[in-house]
Amino acid sequence: MASGFEGRMMYSDLSSVYRNLERLEALGVVRHVHLDHGPGLYTLQRDSDTDYLVCEH
């Protein structure tokens, strides 16, 4: 079985990754954001607002 990050982490399928991200969001550790019309991203939850720059070209 392959492992990630050059053997430093155990293999995890994509659905497990998203389940873990959803759980971390429910716990308030990360926040799901959408920048422009791109895919949804996750960022660490912070007490203050965070600005993002999006390069379109």
Side-chain angles (χ1 to χ4, degrees), residues 2-11:
S3 56
F5 291 100
E6 299 174 351
R8 294 179 292 194
M9 293 186 70
M10 295 175 39
Y11 171 81

Side-chain angles (χ1 to χ4, degrees), residues 7-27:
R8 294 179 292 194
M9 293 186 70
M10 295 175 39
Y11 171 81
S12 183
D13 61 274
L14 193 55
S15 60
S16 295
V17 171
Y18 281 105
R19 276 195 304 272
N20 286 321
L21 284 169
E22 288 174 357
R23 180 69 178 140
L24 289 171
E25 184 178 23
L27 293 170

Side-chain angles (χ1 to χ4, degrees), residues 33-39 41 50-57:
V33 296
H34 289 274
L35 304 178
D36 198 27
H37 296 290
L41 304 170
T50 302
D51 295 324
Y52 298 95
L53 298 176
V54 177
C55 180
E56 295 183 357
H57 299 287

Side-chain angles (χ1 to χ4, degrees), residues 31 33 43-52:
R31 181 170 52 116
V33 296
T43 183
L44 289 174
Q45 182 66 42
R46 301 180 189 264
D47 292 334
S48 61
D49 290 335
T50 302
D51 295 324
Y52 298 95

